[in-house]
């Protein structure tokens, strides 16, 4: 288990946002492991800040589902289980992203497509560099971009509620692919569906994409 002493100090000008960013990154990348206890006093000392921004950051991370606080037991890091992915995150993503994808199909512009292709180019660069963390983050950026393009603000709000948990499992599974360039190829297929103007094709494409990511990331023995 990673020691808290490995976390960087926080500049005095930064407060809750920076503390939350550091802890979020450590949790989603596995630097802080599921079940690891987090105390305000120890974190404040390590991060070079007072306890107040640490307390606020932990409260924010609890709202994001990355930590949980227990009475008399303190705060612990939450992992992302395969059960949660299968029974909670994937079904929510399918419902949310199908709706957003369908809406985005009717309004997407050439400029939007260029922006999505730029994210895919970054995926390819990350794959070539052997950088699975960046690849996972680009994957998140792509899906959020589709939700933004849909113009459905309520969808974006829901997406950003589950995004930290989705990012955690994307990061966890980033090393699964034998050829990580396949991630970029999968998203090129989504762009073609987005541009097709065919609602049925688009809904099928995004649904299969989400399910394929889930099923391909489950070790054979766990299916």
């Amino acid at each position: 288990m990673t020691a808290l002493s490995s976390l960087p100090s926080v500049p005095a000008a930064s407060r809750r946002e920076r503390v939350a960013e550091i802890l979020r990154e450590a949790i989603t990348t596995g630097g802080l492991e599921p079940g690891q206890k987090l105390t305000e006093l120890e974190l404040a000392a390590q991060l070079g800040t007072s306890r107040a921004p640490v307390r606020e950051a932990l409260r924010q991370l609890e709202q994001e589902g990355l930590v949980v606080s227990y009475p008399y037991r303190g705060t612990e890091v939450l992992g992302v289980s395969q059960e949660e992915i299968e029974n909670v995150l994937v079904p929510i993503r399918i419902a949310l992203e199908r709706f957003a994808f369908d809406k985005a199909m009717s309004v997407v512009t050439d400029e939007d497509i260029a922006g999505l292709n730029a994210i895919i180019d970054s995926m390819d660069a990350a794959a070539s560099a052997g950088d699975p963390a960046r690849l996972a983050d680009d994957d998140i950026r792509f899906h959020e971009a589709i939700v933004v393009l849909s113009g459905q603000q309520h969808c974006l709000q829901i997406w950003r509620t589950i995004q930290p948990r989705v990012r955690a499992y994307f990061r966890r599974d980033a090393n699964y692919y034998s050829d990580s360039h396949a991630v970029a190829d999968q998203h090129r297929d989504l762009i073609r569906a987005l541009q097709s103007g065919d609602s049925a094709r688009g809904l099928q494409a995004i649904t299969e994409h989400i399910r394929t990511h889930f099923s391909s990331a489950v070790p054979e023995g766990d299916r």
Side-chain angles (χ1 to χ4, degrees), residues 81-158:
S81 69
Q82 199 61 42
E83 181 180 29
E84 179 191 358
I85 294 170
E86 178 178 358
N87 296 317
V88 181
L89 294 176
V90 165
I92 291 175
R93 286 191 62 207
I94 288 174
L96 180 69
E97 294 188 52
R98 276 173 59 91
F99 182 78
F101 200 90
D102 194 45
K103 296 295 184 182
M105 288 183 72
S106 63
V107 298
V108 68
T109 66
D110 290 343
E111 183 178 357
D112 296 331
I113 294 298
L116 293 172
N117 276 318
I119 297 175
I120 291 176
D121 289 343
S122 182
M123 290 180 187
D124 266 331
S128 296
D131 188 345
R134 176 180 159 193
L135 183 60
D137 287 348
D138 285 338
D139 200 338
I140 284 288
R141 285 174 56 214
F142 184 97
H143 287 272
E144 181 160 317
I146 296 291
V147 178
V148 170
L149 286 177
S150 75
Q152 303 299 307
Q153 190 61 33
H154 60 290
C155 282
L156 184 59
Q157 290 170 344
I158 296 170

Side-chain angles (χ1 to χ4, degrees), residues 174-193:
N175 288 311
Y176 173 82
Y177 294 93
S178 57
D179 179 6
S180 52
H181 287 282
V183 177
D185 292 338
Q186 290 171 6
H187 289 81
R188 288 190 182 95
D189 289 340
L190 287 182
I191 287 184
R192 284 190 283 270

